């Protein structure tokens, strides 16, 4: 169901929610927004397996925030809270752990909300919507579409270049080896891609691409009331969450700056 | 005859040379696609690095400036940096769950890179020192606009913020250097002959 919605409407729907999640000063609001995002994805017909596949690496990232923040938070912000652990001279305060939890919850919310767009939007439709609804010049949009068609070919070519390097014994392990390998692969890949681009540009010019300001479309991306409804529903749900948390006293400050 | 003249005049006005030729547009787009493909696998690494905190984040964000530096040096046109960064973010959407965030980072890095390129080079002088200065300025703006606010700089000590700023600037300068070296390596294959960099090299010879 979400896949049929206009890509721009999904961006318009989730962007304010992501901004609110980024401003959250307590864990409850980002966790509730994460729940809202997951509920929307499930109702929107995204397979739970796909959602889990996206969230598992994210959970590791969020865990990193939880572990690091208590170590780097400025002491005067948290030293009035109880100490929960001591490692040598280092004291971990409950307030510092709360900073870590809030950071973790914010990351979870931001990525979960972005999944509403990225798990349900074919990139071709996004570019079409940019041209047809957002008035991006069609020469730019359709040049991007033409180049995006090269992506699978270039991925295969990259694999072939790496395989060729391995056959010649050029593969090296370690960070420096990987970087050298990346550089060696990028040069032929870029050269080949630019040659393809020049051939494609000639072919497009030969067919009078962009010669006239008007443009007709084979595939139209529509923007209808269901798209507006999606945005309004998500905003209403977020507003209800904020009001409920406010009533319970769990909202916390909405600000970029944490005050003592 | 008069009718034919009017028709030719109309045709000429329709077919006037655009700011970007199709060849330049497609070249910019494929540069973006190649870097997008290269960046896709590193988005997972980038996400993992984010968990290590502000220092790792500062250092890793420079990676997203590599296509910007390459595009600025090769194409030398207003809008090239922004275009390449946004499209390289677009490429990531089907291949990674962090697609929208990568697109956002790409767009932001592109806008900052474009601004820094305009301030430092005015699209005229693209020597190595200016390219490095562009990277340094972009790193500084990027840190100031995103990292300090989104990671709530106030809970960090001022010394840590200064260190993270230096790391961000350093990472962007390294990315600018890498873009310069890579562009020169690609230029030696001859495929950039029709770009601003290729024309400059031809004139120099």
């Amino acid at each position: 169901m979400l896949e049929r919605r206009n890509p721009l409407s999904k961006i318009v729907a989730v962007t304010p929610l992501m901004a609110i999640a980024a401003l959250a000063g307590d864990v409850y609001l980002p966790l509730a927004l994460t729940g809202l995002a997951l509920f929307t994805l499930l109702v929107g017909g995204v397979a739970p397996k796909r959602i889990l596949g996206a969230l598992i690496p994210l959970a590791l990232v969020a865990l990193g925030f939880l572990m690091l923040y208590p170590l780097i938070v400025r002491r005067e912000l948290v030293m009035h809270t109880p100490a929960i652990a001591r490692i040598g001279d280092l004291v971990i305060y409950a307030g510092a752990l709360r900073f870590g939890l809030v950071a973790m919850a914010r990351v979870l919310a931001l990525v979960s909300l972005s999944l509403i767009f990225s798990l349900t939007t074919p990139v071709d439709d996004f570019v079409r919507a940019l041209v047809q609804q957002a008035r991006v010049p069609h020469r730019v949009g359709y040049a991007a579409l033409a180049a995006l068609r090269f992506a699978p070919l270039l991925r295969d070519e990259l694999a072939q270049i790496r395989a060729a390097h391995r056959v010649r014994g050029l593969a090296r392990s370690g960070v420096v080896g990987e970087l050298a390998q990346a550089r060696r692969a990028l040069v032929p890949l870029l050269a080949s891609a630019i040659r393809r681009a020049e051939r494609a540009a000639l072919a497009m010019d030969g067919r009078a691409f962009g010669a006239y300001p008007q443009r007709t479309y084979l595939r139209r991306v529509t923007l209808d009331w269901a798209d507006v409804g999606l945005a309004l529903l998500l905003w209403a749900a977020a507003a209800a969450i904020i009001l409920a948390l406010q009533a319970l006293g769990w909202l916390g400050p909405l600000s970029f700056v944490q005050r003592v | 005859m008069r009718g034919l003249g009017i028709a030719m005049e109309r045709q000429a006005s329709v077919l006037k040379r655009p700011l970007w030729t199709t060849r330049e547009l497609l070249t910019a787009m494929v540069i973006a696609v190649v870097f997008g493909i290269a960046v896709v696998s590193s988005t997972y690494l980038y996400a993992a690095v984010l968990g290590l905190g502000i220092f790792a984040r500062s250092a890793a964000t420079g990676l997203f400036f590599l296509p910007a530096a390459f595009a600025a040096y090769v194409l030398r046109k207003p809008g090239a940096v922004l275009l390449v960064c946004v499209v390289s973010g677009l490429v990531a959407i089907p291949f990674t769950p962090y697609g929208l965030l990568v697109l956002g980072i790409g767009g932001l890095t592109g806008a900052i890179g474009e601004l820094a390129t305009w301030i430092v080079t005015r699209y005229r002088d693209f020597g190595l020192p200016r390219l490095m200065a562009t990277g340094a300025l972009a790193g500084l703006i990027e840190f100031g606009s995103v990292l300090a606010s989104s990671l709530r700089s106030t809970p960090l000590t001022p010394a840590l913020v200064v260190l993270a700023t230096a790391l961000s600037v350093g990472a962007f300068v390294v990315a600018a250097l890498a873009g310069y070296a890579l562009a020169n390596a690609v230029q030696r294959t001859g495929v950039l002959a029709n770009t601003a960099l290729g024309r400059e090299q031809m004139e120099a010879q």
Side-chain angles (χ1 to χ4, degrees):
Chain A
M1 191 173 78
L2 276 174
E3 283 182 11
R4 290 203 301 272
R5 299 280 58 84
N6 187 296
L8 298 180
S9 75
K10 284 181 260 185
I11 289 187
V12 169
V14 300
T15 305
L17 274 59
M18 289 172 79
I20 292 168
L23 293 173
D26 214 332
V27 287
Y28 303 108
L29 178 60
L31 286 181
L33 289 174
T34 305
L36 174 65
L38 297 181
F39 177 74
T40 309
L41 284 167
L42 288 172
V43 171
V46 180
K49 201 176 161 188
R50 281 185 76 201
I51 303 172
L52 272 179
L55 286 179
I56 286 170
L58 168 70
L60 296 173
V61 174
L63 207 62
F65 273 93
L66 179 64
M67 289 164 70
L68 188 93
Y69 253 66
L71 305 177
I72 59 173
V73 167
R74 202 195 302 163
R75 204 167 260 208
E76 63 264 28
L77 285 173
V78 292
M79 61 194 300
H80 62 280
T81 59
I84 53 169
R86 283 177 196 277
I87 309 161
D89 289 342
L90 189 73
V91 183
I92 308 279
Y93 293 97
L97 196 64
R98 191 180 139 269
F99 269 118
L101 275 171
V102 173
M104 183 183 87
R106 276 203 309 264
V107 172
L108 270 173
L110 284 172
V111 179
S112 305
L113 286 166
S114 86
L115 290 182
I116 293 175
F117 175 84
S118 49
L119 284 187
T120 64
T121 308
V123 73
D124 290 9
D125 283 351
F126 179 45
V127 176
R128 286 189 189 99
L130 285 174
V131 172
Q132 292 171 23
Q133 271 94 38
R135 304 283 179 235
V136 168
H138 67 257
R139 291 185 75 243
V140 175
Y142 285 94
L145 269 186
L148 286 168
R149 295 266 183 276
F150 293 146
L153 294 172
L154 292 173
R155 271 167 74 95
D156 288 349
E157 207 162 309
L158 180 63
Q160 283 171 17
I161 291 167
R162 285 189 170 151
H165 285 163
R166 274 199 299 278
V167 167
R168 289 171 195 169
L170 288 171
R172 297 272 185 277
S173 55
V175 176
V176 177
E178 285 289 329
L179 284 175
Q181 207 173 332
R183 184 195 163 278
R184 264 197 306 271
L186 267 178
V187 174
L189 189 66
L190 275 164
S192 157
I194 291 166
R195 277 197 196 101
R196 277 178 204 274
E198 297 210 335
R199 284 200 294 269
L202 275 176
M204 287 162 80
D205 276 342
R207 289 161 177 80
F209 170 70
Y212 296 94
Q214 293 82 21
R215 173 82 208 182
T216 54
Y217 304 106
L218 180 64
R219 273 199 67 187
R220 280 227 167 247
V221 178
T222 55
L223 182 69
D224 54 30
W225 285 108
D227 298 305
V228 179
L230 171 71
L232 290 177
L233 263 176
L234 276 177
W235 292 346
I241 286 170
I242 290 170
L243 289 173
L245 290 176
Q246 174 93 44
L248 291 167
W250 292 353
L251 185 61
L254 289 177
S255 162
F256 271 125
V257 181
Q258 192 71 43
R259 293 184 180 84
V260 183
Chain B
M1 276 305 280
R2 191 167 166 266
L4 181 65
I6 292 168
M8 284 176 72
E9 206 174 287
R10 274 191 196 149
Q11 188 76 356
S13 68
V14 166
L15 296 176
K16 71 177 181 219
R17 186 183 154 81
L19 192 63
W20 281 72
T21 62
T22 309
R23 186 198 296 254
E24 287 166 339
L25 267 176
L26 261 291
T27 303
M29 297 299 179
V30 292
I31 287 171
V33 171
V34 168
F35 281 106
I37 289 169
V39 163
V40 162
S41 54
S42 59
T43 54
Y44 290 94
L45 180 73
Y46 182 72
V49 158
L50 274 183
L52 297 176
I54 193 166
F55 299 104
R57 204 270 190 216
S58 297
T61 306
L63 180 73
F64 291 92
F65 189 68
L66 180 59
F70 185 91
Y73 182 56
V74 169
L75 299 169
R76 304 177 182 194
K77 277 183 102 76
V81 172
L82 181 63
L83 195 64
V84 166
C85 286
V86 170
V87 176
S88 64
L90 271 181
V91 175
I93 290 177
F95 302 114
T96 157
Y98 312 116
L100 189 57
L101 293 178
V102 176
L103 181 62
I105 295 171
L108 188 79
T109 312
I112 289 170
E114 192 70 52
L115 177 69
T117 308
W118 175 71
I119 290 172
V120 176
T121 68
R122 303 280 166 169
Y123 305 106
R124 284 195 291 267
D125 182 357
F126 281 86
L128 183 59
R130 284 203 185 243
L131 209 60
M132 285 169 70
T134 304
L137 182 62
L140 197 64
I141 300 172
E142 205 271 353
F143 187 86
S145 62
V146 181
L147 297 179
S149 54
S150 66
L151 290 180
R152 299 188 179 199
S153 59
T154 38
L156 300 167
T157 62
L160 288 178
V161 173
V162 169
L163 195 60
T165 311
L167 255 177
S168 181
V169 169
F172 274 65
V173 171
V174 168
L177 275 171
Y180 177 84
L182 194 59
N184 283 331
V186 176
Q187 202 274 331
R188 282 193 288 276
T189 67
V191 295
L192 296 177
N194 291 311
T195 63
L197 173 65
R199 284 192 292 271
E200 186 198 66
Q201 300 279 343
M202 294 261 273
E203 280 167 19
Q205 283 167 9

